[in-house]
Amino acid sequence: MAFLLRRLVFYMAAFIAAATINFFLPRLMPGDPVQIMFSSAGAELPPESLQALKLTFGFVDGPLWQQYLTYLGSIFTGDLGRSIKYFPLPVTSVLGHALVWTVGLMGTATIISFALGTFLGIVAAWRRGSRFDVVVSVGAVFATSVPAVVTSLIVLFIFGFTLGWFPNGYAADPSLDPAFSLQYLGSVAYHGILPMVTLCTVLIGGFTVTMRNNMINLLGEDYIVMARAKGLSDRHVMLWYAARNALLPTVSSLAIAIGTILGGSLVTEVVYNYPGLGNILYQAILARDYPVIQGQLLIMTATMLIANFIVDVSYVMLDPRLKGA
């Protein structure tokens, strides 16, 4: 319990620090979103309506410290304000709608990448020096080195434009009404194949390289040699003796990947015009939509901290020696 309390206090302090940066960062950007909205309306809005717009979106005149305290209070009450780009929708509604798409896409891609990358890393390390190890290692390093934007454009060009096997964008067929039906769910799965392939290609290489390196460092340990001397099968030694202990650093990589789920993959979602959190953040930055930007960054921060807290607890469960640390 003392360990959990210490970690909770640490992550709470980290969240407050991140929220502080989140408050000041958009205000350092050039341009005023209310002024942009007022200017785009031309002569349709009288000058006195400018102050009304500022009050509507929470851009009140006053000391910066007072605005900061008001902002912190709104975080813990769940009132993130109203979106400027998608007015009059509240920020929670805008992000909540995009959250479903991002969790479905990136959550599935992360699970698949972690499972497949970990398995490939285990087998490649166990068979190090073989042709399988060479192919997997080179492929994993290549997949990790290629930027996500390049992978997205290559996959989209080959399978979307050239071959025409899959749609070029959107999360579902726009002509279909959103409903819990086989037709609509099938359209969602069909439109999500290319973004899923792109994200898996980007993520799987890191998991494979991390797991392979961890396994190789452990294969020369005394307890591995003793397990083989006992006559245990290769599968048993590989999975229960080597892989279990090599999972610890890989779990940290998984926590980082989980933390990016709610943040969304901005490049992938923008390329495929996928209505997730990454695309919403990109559109909000272009529109100087401070409430949406702040709400999005808060979600990313909170998710990353929660994921790391789960990893701290998982470390103790995976390695009993840490209970006394």
Side-chain angles (χ1 to χ4, degrees):
M1 184 59 66
F3 168 76
L4 294 178
L5 289 177
R6 287 197 303 269
R7 302 309 295 173
L8 283 174
V9 171
F10 169 77
Y11 287 125
M12 182 59 68
F15 180 78
I16 297 297
T20 302
I21 297 175
N22 191 24
F23 172 79
F24 288 102
L25 188 60
R27 286 160 176 79
L28 296 177
M29 298 171 58
D32 186 347
V34 178
Q35 290 285 358
I36 294 175
M37 178 183 291
F38 185 79
S39 301
S40 62
E44 297 181 5
L45 292 177
E48 56 270 16
S49 62
L50 178 60
Q51 187 63 25
L53 283 175
K54 290 185 176 182
L55 292 175
T56 301
F57 294 108
F59 294 96
V60 295
D61 296 329
L64 196 60
W65 64 267
Q66 186 176 1
Q67 298 181 29
Y68 172 69
L69 294 179
T70 303
Y71 166 73
L72 286 182
S74 65
I75 291 177
F76 293 102
T77 57
D79 182 15
L80 300 179
R82 295 190 178 274
S83 171
I84 297 175
K85 178 177 176 58
Y86 304 98
F87 183 80
L89 293 177
V91 173
T92 52
S93 298
V94 175
L95 297 181
H97 180 267
L99 177 66
V100 177
W101 295 105
T102 295
V103 170
L105 176 65
M106 294 206 63
T108 305
T110 302
I111 294 174
I112 294 175
S113 302
F114 177 76
L116 187 57
T118 301
F119 174 76
L120 291 175
I122 292 173
V123 178
W126 192 257
R127 301 179 181 178
R128 61 190 183 280
S130 64
R131 182 177 300 177
F132 178 85
D133 178 31
V134 173
V135 172
V136 170
S137 300
V138 173
V141 173
F142 178 77
T144 307
S145 304
V146 177
V149 61
V150 176
T151 304
S152 301
L153 293 175
I154 291 176
V155 172
L156 179 62
F157 178 77
I158 294 176
F159 298 101
F161 289 100
T162 304
L163 299 177
W165 290 353
F166 302 99
N168 299 328
Y170 301 107
D173 189 349
S175 62
L176 297 177
D177 292 330
F180 193 76
S181 61
L182 291 179
Q183 185 181 13
Y184 185 75
L185 294 178
S187 178
V188 171
Y190 182 54
H191 282 71
I193 290 178
L194 289 187
M196 187 78 65
V197 170
T198 301
L199 290 173
C200 288
T201 303
V202 172
L203 293 174
I204 195 173
F207 291 127
T208 302
V209 172
T210 301
M211 192 63 190
R212 179 184 180 276
N213 294 339
N214 297 336
M215 281 282 293
I216 290 178
N217 291 333
L218 293 177
L219 290 179
E221 296 292 334
D222 293 338
Y223 66 90
I224 300 292
V225 178
M226 178 63 68
R228 285 178 166 177
K230 289 181 178 179
L232 299 177
S233 64
D234 287 347
R235 175 182 293 182
H236 190 84
V237 176
M238 179 179 66
L239 296 179
W240 294 102
Y241 282 76
R244 181 181 178 183
N245 292 281
L247 269 177
L248 290 177
T250 310
V251 170
S252 298
S253 301
L254 177 61
I256 297 175
I258 291 176
T260 61
I261 290 177
L262 296 182
S265 178
L266 189 148
V267 171
T268 302
E269 292 183 356
V270 170
V271 169
Y272 292 100
N273 196 20
Y274 202 82
L277 290 175
N279 201 0
I280 291 294
L281 178 61
Y282 174 72
Q283 298 297 333
I285 292 174
L286 295 180
R288 301 294 192 272
D289 193 342
Y290 291 176
V292 171
I293 295 174
Q294 291 176 335
Q296 169 77 340
L297 296 179
L298 280 178
I299 290 177
M300 295 171 61
T301 302
T303 307
M304 183 70 72
L305 294 177
I306 293 173
N308 279 275
F309 178 73
I310 294 175
V311 167
D312 289 340
V313 179
S314 301
Y315 263 37
V316 178
M317 297 176 61
L318 291 173
D319 192 349
R321 294 173 300 177
L322 297 178
K323 292 181 180 180

